[in-house]
């Protein structure tokens, strides 16, 4: 993977944004390898993502930030710049279902995902051997009605200990408390085994079966205090028929879930997702 800097911007739309940013990069001989723009004409908002060859810029990220700040102020930008050579630290959270965790571990092991999986946290012991085979720390944190506050306080301590950049709920079957969601807003990704907003909550395949649907799907979204209503990152569907049982739907759905989760995580760790209001812009 080529060493690049990722410049991500959102701001009120107006004339001259692209020209100003491009001129800034050109001034310092910045070599743009990828450029993506989107204008939301209904809300008057503009989104931009540029990848720049790191070796073409004569300084590091701190100097880049200092030099770019006057432009950011002029255009009232929300912005950040990231270094592709600094993989994001990821914690996976799971319960008993293995398909999403196994898929992400395989993609990480085969270097398909440019991230550092620093730990796995689970409320069950079932997946310990699989995780530890990959030489990744496995933290068993049981959660019950009696110890929920203490358990999630411990989980938050683990987030801080590992200085986590993103948490992936890979079929973690517990609801994160509101305070934890707020503290780590925009950093917690969930996979929901339903094509949200349809069939939110528990047992979505049973709900879908009872409605006789012809498509089932999965949704990767950011976690917020409002259950299953966070900004959507990625979705996909698969066609079914009247002859498919609930068990068939679960089996087919698992394939969709792990693929959608992997794509959503990849978009996040490559700084391709910009959140605004309760929506996202996701650049390919």
């Amino acid at each position: 993977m080529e060493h690049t800097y990722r410049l991500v911007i959102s701001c009120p739309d107006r004339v001259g944004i692209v020209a100003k940013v491009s001129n800034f990069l050109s001034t310092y001989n910045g070599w743009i390898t990828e450029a993506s723009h989107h204008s939301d004409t209904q809300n008057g908002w503009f989104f931009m993502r540029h990848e720049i060859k790191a070796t073409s810029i004569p300084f590091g990220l701190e100097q880049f930030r200092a030099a770019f700040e006057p432009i950011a102020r002029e255009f009232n930008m929300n912005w950040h710049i990231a270094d592709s050579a600094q993989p994001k630290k990821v914690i996976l959270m799971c319960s008993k279902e293995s398909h999403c965790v196994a898929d992400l571990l395989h993609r990480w092991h085969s270097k398909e995902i440019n991230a550092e999986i620093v730990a796995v946290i689970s409320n069950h012991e079932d997946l310990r051997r699989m995780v530890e085979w990959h030489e990744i720390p496995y933290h068993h944190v049981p959660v019950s009605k009696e110890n929920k506050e203490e358990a999630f306080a411990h989980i938050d301590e683990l987030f801080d200990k590992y200085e986590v950049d993103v948490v992936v709920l890979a079929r973690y079957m517990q609801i994160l408390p509101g305070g934890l969601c707020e503290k780590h807003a925009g950093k917690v990704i969930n996979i929901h085994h339903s094509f949200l907003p349809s069939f939110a909550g528990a047992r979505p395949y049973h709900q879908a079966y009872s409605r006789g649907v012809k498509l089932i799907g999965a949704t990767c979204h950011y976690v917020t205090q409002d259950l299953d209503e966070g900004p959507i990152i990625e979705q996909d569907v698969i066609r079914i028929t009247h002859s498919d049982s609930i068990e068939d739907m679960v089996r087919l759905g698992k394939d969709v879930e792990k693929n959608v989760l992997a794509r959503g995580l990849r978009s996040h760790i490559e700084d391709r997702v910009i959140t605004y209001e309760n929506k996202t812009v996701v650049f390919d």
Side-chain angles (χ1 to χ4, degrees):
M1 180 179 294
E2 185 173 23
H3 183 197
T4 61
Y5 295 148
R6 299 163 179 158
L7 177 62
V8 182
I9 297 167
S10 65
C11 62
D13 202 358
R14 54 179 274 197
V15 173
I17 302 170
V18 175
K20 195 79 171 187
V21 173
S22 299
N23 184 65
F24 170 84
L25 295 174
S26 178
T27 298
Y28 294 105
N29 203 36
W31 186 333
I32 300 171
T33 62
E34 185 178 329
S36 303
H37 307 137
H38 172 66
S39 179
D40 184 335
T41 56
Q42 185 171 352
N43 293 308
W45 211 256
F46 184 75
F47 307 87
M48 171 189 291
R49 178 186 182 275
H50 281 179
E51 288 210 31
I52 308 119
K53 277 189 179 183
T55 54
S56 70
I57 299 288
F59 41 63
L61 291 191
E62 288 307 313
Q63 290 172 286
F64 187 106
R65 292 186 181 102
F68 191 76
E69 184 59 34
I71 295 175
R73 287 198 303 268
E74 177 185 352
F75 288 88
N76 194 27
M77 291 177 175
N78 301 313
W79 71 286
H80 70 271
I81 186 164
D83 188 341
S84 69
Q86 297 176 355
K88 289 180 172 56
K89 295 179 181 179
V90 178
I91 284 180
L92 306 181
M93 297 187 69
C94 58
S95 290
K96 293 184 176 183
E97 293 276 4
S98 64
H99 57 290
C100 287
V101 172
D103 182 69
L104 292 177
L105 290 175
H106 169 72
R107 293 175 191 269
W108 168 80
H109 185 75
S110 60
K111 303 188 185 306
E112 292 179 33
I113 294 177
N114 181 34
E116 181 184 358
I117 299 179
V118 294
V120 173
I121 300 173
S122 179
N123 56 328
H124 295 281
E125 287 279 13
D126 299 55
L127 306 183
R128 178 182 289 277
R129 290 181 62 188
M130 179 181 69
V131 171
E132 291 183 342
W133 182 89
H134 290 86
E135 299 181 345
I136 295 172
Y138 188 91
H139 297 273
H140 176 218
V141 184
V143 179
S144 65
K145 291 181 180 179
E146 292 75 23
N147 80 334
K148 186 165 291 188
E149 184 174 345
E150 178 185 350
F152 281 111
H154 180 41
I155 288 170
D156 193 26
E157 290 173 0
L158 291 172
F159 291 173
D160 291 340
K161 171 187 174 182
Y162 286 104
E163 299 178 331
V164 66
D165 295 306
V166 56
V167 175
V168 180
L169 306 186
R171 295 304 304 275
Y172 181 67
M173 306 309 290
Q174 294 289 330
I175 298 173
L176 300 189
L180 200 63
C181 295
E182 185 175 356
K183 179 179 176 180
H184 300 281
K187 295 171 60 176
V188 183
I189 293 174
N190 185 39
I191 183 65
H192 193 281
H193 45 311
S194 169
F195 194 69
L196 294 174
S198 299
F199 310 124
R203 298 166 66 88
Y205 293 122
H206 293 72
Q207 296 180 55
Y209 181 81
S210 67
R211 289 292 303 275
V213 303
K214 307 308 177 191
L215 292 171
I216 58 172
T219 302
C220 177
H221 65 94
Y222 289 113
V223 173
T224 65
Q225 297 185 57
D226 300 317
L227 184 64
D228 296 337
E229 294 187 14
I232 291 170
I233 307 169
E234 179 64 66
Q235 292 183 292
D236 205 351
V237 294
I238 189 169
R239 183 167 291 280
I240 59 170
T241 73
H242 58 274
S243 64
D244 288 311
S245 65
I246 293 175
E247 290 74 20
D248 292 329
M249 292 167 66
V250 170
R251 173 177 54 82
L252 293 167
K254 285 181 178 181
D255 288 338
V256 183
E257 291 166 35
K258 61 188 182 184
N259 288 328
V260 167
L261 181 58
R263 293 202 300 266
L265 176 59
R266 182 186 298 276
S267 293
H268 179 89
I269 63 177
E270 292 182 357
D271 300 284
R272 297 184 179 278
V273 186
I274 305 176
T275 303
Y276 75 110
E277 296 178 350
N278 198 44
K279 298 186 291 184
T280 60
V281 169
V282 183
F283 291 120
D284 295 332

